[in-house]
Amino acid sequence: MMMLFPFTGKTALRIAAGKAGDGPKIVNIVNFIRLLEPRDEKITQDVLYQTVVKQTEIMQQYDLGGTFLLQYDALMDTRYQQLLKSLPREKYEIGAWWELPQPLVEKAGFRWRGRYPWDWHADVGFSTGYTPEEREKLVDVYMADFKAVFGYYPRSVASWFIDAHTLNYMYDKYGIVASANCKDQYGTDGYTLWGGYWNQAYYPSRINSYMPAQHAKNQLPVPIFRMLGSDPIRQYDLHLGARRQGVITLEPVYPRAGGDSTWVHWFMREFVEGASLAFNYTQAGQENSFTWKEMEKGFLIQMPLIAQLRNEGKIRVETLEASGKWFKEKFPVTPATAFTVNNDLPGSDLKTVWFNSRFYRLNLLWENGQLRIRDVHLFDEKLPSIYTTQKATSNECVFLTLPFVDGYLWSKKDHYAGMRFKALVNGKEEIIQGGDPVITEPAAGKLHVSWPLKNIGGSFEMDITEKTMKVQLKGNRQKVNWFLDMTTAGNAALPFRNIRTDRIECESEGLPYAVKAVKGKFSAPGEGIVFRASPRSNVISLDFSNGN
């Protein structure tokens, strides 16, 4: 049965149960805690502490368990110790937030290089700023003091980013079961994570914490969950052309996203109802640095809604540790997942689906009756991250995968890059127009998209699986010359090295990779078209597994 939820728009949004056959819809409420905030003198230690007090009160009011992650200086503060120890162990998890403040660095025997007792630069306040040997010592000090306070080692350790060496050490020596890192973003706060497993969770390569592994023998068996609950439509190309993106996420401090009733109810509706394959995931909660004054409105919108959806059996609310254990018991390797938006916010007709597997990610975006493949990035466990063995040399950091379609970096405001569906109609090239897509899950790990067409008739039937994407034109009685054209804007740095009939050979980050045409062919027609994929017997089938 559908339930009505109040919101600030003119029409109430409805949230129905997810489709039969979907995996669970999992929500982690994760609040991470810093002792101090040097960027604003009005944010005192007491303001930060009272923020966490209010978070615990509201969560207990709605009987919502969750995870609190402690930065080291907060870990050593007796007020936080007493507050968190008072929470019921069966509902609340206490774990580690892996930003490195001055007290931890100095107790480990190293010189503090920061501007403040906590410094958010990548070469100071994160493990990337230290040698592998120094990272191990920092972990040992934190773990020893955490155990002295709580009597056990933390099971979850999260941060905006943690290098692979540190995660390997935490798992091998201390047995952590879950981690989390920042959503995909470009340049925000000086941190770039771009092209990774979009949302959900993945097993990383042992040599690259951002890169999903393809094989169990090369993966770190600690799932990394993607934080913050990105807007599946708008976050991707927000502030196109700028050096840094803005933020449109479930974080309750953002007045046009997690702090807005309309947006929150829309996001949770699509989260619950859309096709998601193995499972869907989002992270609620907020770092205390934003203060209760700023997050109160959004927190009080989200917590009762999350509790109601939990009570109706539409979502599962659990700790990060519980999700990590479930993931490891359920999946020997990273599963295929999806996040689907069937209906956008009021006044918009945009629709999208993100598909992920251990081999690649894919994003389809419908706008004004047209379909664009907005993003394809390939994954390869053989690509190391420089941060696994070396220190960061600047105050920023960059984690990347292997691009094949990049609708953000290869775009400008007057031209959005991507693969577009076209056809020859009366001897003239036209963008194919269609109606609303129907996105379903016919089998485990398989997403099916049926897109009814208008200007050429019939429908495109798309099957997206762990390794391949197959597009077939069906139901059209006349022969139609259709194809996919890849275009980019301006002087974008592209990875394509050789466009052959049966495959496109690429290179990025020093690693060669290729996309194969299992059925159909590639060509390079020029005139602004980077490459074209043409069908054979009305079928285009592309292999994104790079031979893995």
Side-chain angles (χ1 to χ4, degrees):
M1 181 178 67
M2 293 186 176
M3 298 295 295
L4 295 177
F5 293 86
F7 77 113
T8 58
K10 295 181 179 179
T11 306
L13 296 178
R14 298 170 180 267
I15 302 182
K19 305 292 188 299
D22 272 13
K25 317 294 184 178
I26 299 173
V27 177
N28 291 158
I29 302 173
V30 179
N31 301 300
F32 53 93
I33 303 170
R34 301 187 180 107
L35 179 69
L36 50 84
E37 176 47 77
R39 293 170 289 189
D40 187 340
E41 62 181 15
K42 295 189 295 297
I43 303 178
T44 64
Q45 291 188 26
D46 189 60
V47 168
L48 294 172
Y49 173 74
Q50 292 301 327
T51 296
V52 181
V53 170
K54 293 301 295 184
Q55 289 174 329
T56 62
E57 289 177 353
I58 299 302
M59 290 171 68
Q60 290 183 94
Q61 177 183 339
Y62 290 101
D63 194 28
L64 292 167
T67 295
F68 288 88
L69 303 177
L70 287 162
Q71 191 170 285
Y72 181 80
D73 48 8
L75 166 68
M76 303 309 293
D77 186 273
T78 55
R79 290 196 299 177
Y80 287 112
Q81 294 174 8
Q82 293 169 5
L83 173 66
L84 298 179
K85 284 181 178 179
S86 72
L87 299 175
R89 276 285 299 274
E90 67 274 10
K91 277 189 164 297
Y92 295 92
E93 174 194 10
I94 315 302
W97 180 251
W98 204 243
E99 291 176 341
L100 311 179
Q102 184 174 355
L104 174 59
V105 172
E106 291 182 342
K107 187 168 184 179
F110 311 126
R111 182 177 66 86
W112 177 245
R113 296 175 279 110
R115 299 163 297 165
Y116 316 101
W118 165 64
D119 191 328
W120 53 92
H121 282 176
D123 57 343
V124 175
F126 293 86
S127 56
T128 49
Y130 300 84
T131 68
E133 293 75 19
E134 289 171 339
R135 297 171 202 172
E136 293 180 8
K137 180 63 174 175
L138 290 162
V139 171
D140 288 341
V141 170
Y142 185 100
M143 292 294 186
D145 285 345
F146 187 100
K147 188 174 184 180
V149 171
F150 291 105
Y152 56 90
Y153 294 126
R155 307 293 279 162
S156 298
V157 182
S159 183
W160 300 133
F161 48 91
I162 305 176
D163 68 278
H165 183 90
T166 297
L167 282 175
N168 288 330
Y169 187 72
M170 288 175 169
Y171 170 72
D172 292 337
K173 185 170 182 178
Y174 296 101
I176 66 169
V177 300
S179 187
N181 65 10
C182 187
K183 65 174 174 44
D184 256 38
Q185 62 182 35
Y186 200 87
T188 309
D189 296 327
Y191 315 145
T192 292
L193 299 90
W194 196 250
Y197 196 100
W198 195 89
N199 205 54
Q200 326 297 44
Y202 65 96
Y203 290 122
S205 158
R206 277 273 190 174
I207 61 173
N208 188 336
S209 58
Y210 186 61
M211 182 70 72
Q214 286 72 60
H215 303 94
K217 66 180 181 180
N218 296 322
Q219 73 188 17
L220 176 65
V222 175
I224 296 179
F225 292 82
R226 306 304 304 271
M227 298 183 72
L228 306 183
S230 284
D231 184 313
I233 290 177
R234 280 158 285 273
Q235 177 64 55
Y236 178 80
D237 47 22
L238 184 65
H239 295 170
L240 185 66
R243 287 188 65 243
R244 304 179 189 278
Q245 287 185 317
V247 180
I248 307 180
T249 68
L250 193 59
E251 294 168 272
V253 295
Y254 292 107
R256 296 185 179 181
D260 177 73
S261 183
T262 301
W263 189 96
V264 170
H265 284 80
W266 163 77
F267 179 89
M268 294 305 297
R269 180 191 68 191
E270 299 304 311
F271 171 74
V272 169
E273 293 182 359
S276 60
L277 298 175
F279 72 105
N280 209 353
Y281 173 82
T282 197
Q283 177 251 316
Q286 187 77 70
E287 63 206 271
N288 65 336
S289 295
F290 279 106
T291 76
W292 182 247
K293 178 182 177 182
E294 298 299 321
M295 74 179 72
E296 179 180 9
K297 178 184 176 184
F299 213 81
L300 293 178
I301 291 169
Q302 293 184 25
M303 295 303 116
L305 175 58
I306 289 171
Q308 183 174 348
L309 292 172
R310 186 265 325 267
N311 294 343
E312 294 170 353
K314 295 171 182 172
I315 64 173
R316 212 166 77 190
V317 182
E318 61 192 24
T319 64
L320 184 57
E321 175 188 3
S323 297
K325 288 181 176 178
W326 170 82
F327 189 98
K328 189 171 181 179
E329 292 170 358
K330 183 80 173 176
F331 307 115
V333 293
T334 300
T337 62
F339 195 124
T340 303
V341 174
N342 292 304
N343 297 283
D344 197 10
L345 289 162
S348 171
D349 73 339
L350 295 173
K351 305 172 192 304
T352 197
V353 62
W354 285 93
F355 176 89
N356 303 281
S357 78
R358 56 195 161 122
F359 300 99
Y360 72 103
R361 79 175 194 186
L362 165 77
N363 179 236
L364 306 177
L365 180 71
W366 286 266
E367 183 175 13
N368 298 324
Q370 300 177 7
L371 171 58
R372 173 165 55 108
I373 299 177
R374 186 166 60 161
D375 186 278
V376 180
H377 277 75
L378 277 57
F379 306 143
D380 196 314
E381 63 196 10
K382 296 187 293 294
L383 179 66
S385 167
I386 189 172
Y387 304 122
T388 303
T389 57
Q390 300 181 41
K391 293 169 57 174
T393 57
S394 78
N395 60 12
E396 300 191 355
C397 75
V398 178
F399 292 88
L400 303 170
T401 61
L402 304 173
F404 186 69
V405 178
D406 195 315
Y408 177 70
L409 293 180
W410 302 348
S411 295
K412 290 186 176 179
K413 290 183 178 180
D414 59 349
H415 181 85
Y416 286 83
M419 295 178 71
R420 289 175 169 83
F421 288 69
K422 296 182 179 179
L424 282 177
V425 179
N426 298 321
K428 182 181 178 181
E429 288 188 11
E430 289 188 6
I431 298 287
I432 294 174
Q433 300 283 335
D436 291 341
V438 177
I439 302 168
T440 56
E441 306 160 71
K446 182 178 182 179
L447 198 69
H448 183 79
V449 179
S450 180
W451 183 37
L453 307 177
K454 293 181 177 179
N455 55 342
I456 65 172
S459 65
F460 277 126
E461 304 296 324
M462 305 175 64
D463 288 306
I464 306 168
T465 65
E466 193 177 47
K467 293 186 176 184
T468 64
M469 178 188 72
K470 176 184 175 184
V471 184
Q472 184 171 10
L473 178 60
K474 287 188 174 182
N476 191 303
R477 296 180 181 179
Q478 297 179 344
K479 185 176 181 181
V480 178
N481 185 357
W482 64 276
F483 41 87
L484 302 178
D485 276 355
M486 177 69 201
T487 59
T488 62
N491 299 316
L494 304 178
F496 310 115
R497 298 293 175 260
N498 191 12
I499 298 173
R500 304 173 60 171
T501 302
D502 64 337
R503 67 183 179 275
I504 296 180
E505 297 170 347
C506 312
E507 184 176 336
S508 184
E509 301 297 302
L511 186 74
Y513 57 100
V515 170
K516 293 184 178 180
V518 179
K519 196 164 187 178
K521 64 178 181 179
F522 292 117
S523 61
E527 299 183 356
I529 300 169
V530 178
F531 65 80
R532 172 174 289 172
S534 303
R536 179 165 58 88
S537 301
N538 265 344
V539 175
I540 295 174
S541 181
L542 304 181
D543 185 340
F544 295 124
S545 68
N546 195 31
N548 284 305

